[in-house]
Amino acid sequence: MKHEVIKKQAASIVVLKGDVDLESSPAAREVLLKSVEGAGKVLVDLSSVTYIDSSGVASLVEALQAAKRNGGRFALVAASDPTRRVLELARLDKVFTIYTTVDEGLQA
């Protein structure tokens, strides 16, 4: 997994790329939790995630909870088909705010 953090319009956009699995989820968790520490709005771009397992999903859930505790906003954007299917199976598409595009997330 690779990641990139982009600051845009008072938001942090965390772009995750590749597989977010047991091996890479600790790195994903670290970057997500660091991003929600000081930012008011965090958008996680999942368009380039090719695979996500339960440990990756757990990292997303933990970051969402941390953002709520910090009074911030946390949303997912552009979820790839494999990622969207996992979120839907776990019914987390009802828990996360999910935007179609980064621009849509920035405008919300």
Side-chain angles (χ1 to χ4, degrees):
M1 178 208 73
K2 294 182 180 184
H3 75 276
E4 178 181 10
V5 179
I6 302 165
K7 303 285 186 181
K8 188 173 182 181
Q9 297 180 8
S12 291
I13 303 165
V14 180
V15 182
L16 300 179
K17 300 176 183 178
D19 293 349
V20 185
D21 56 15
L22 187 59
E23 181 179 331
S24 63
S25 63
R29 178 184 177 274
E30 183 178 334
V31 72
L32 290 167
L33 291 177
K34 188 178 288 188
S35 293
V36 300
E37 278 179 5
K41 181 191 268 188
V42 175
L43 302 174
V44 183
D45 183 339
L46 300 172
S47 61
S48 297
V49 172
T50 52
Y51 173 81
I52 189 166
D53 69 6
S54 60
S55 63
V57 171
S59 296
L60 293 173
V61 170
E62 188 174 352
L64 172 65
Q65 292 170 335
K68 285 182 178 181
R69 278 193 306 273
N70 294 338
R73 294 173 46 195
F74 185 90
L76 308 179
V77 296
S80 63
D81 287 340
T83 303
R84 183 172 290 283
R85 279 194 294 274
V86 170
L87 294 171
E88 288 170 353
L89 284 170
R91 298 195 183 271
L92 291 172
D93 58 325
K94 309 293 186 222
V95 173
F96 288 103
T97 301
I98 304 175
Y99 297 107
T100 306
T101 65
V102 171
D103 287 338
E104 182 185 346
L106 288 171
Q107 293 174 6

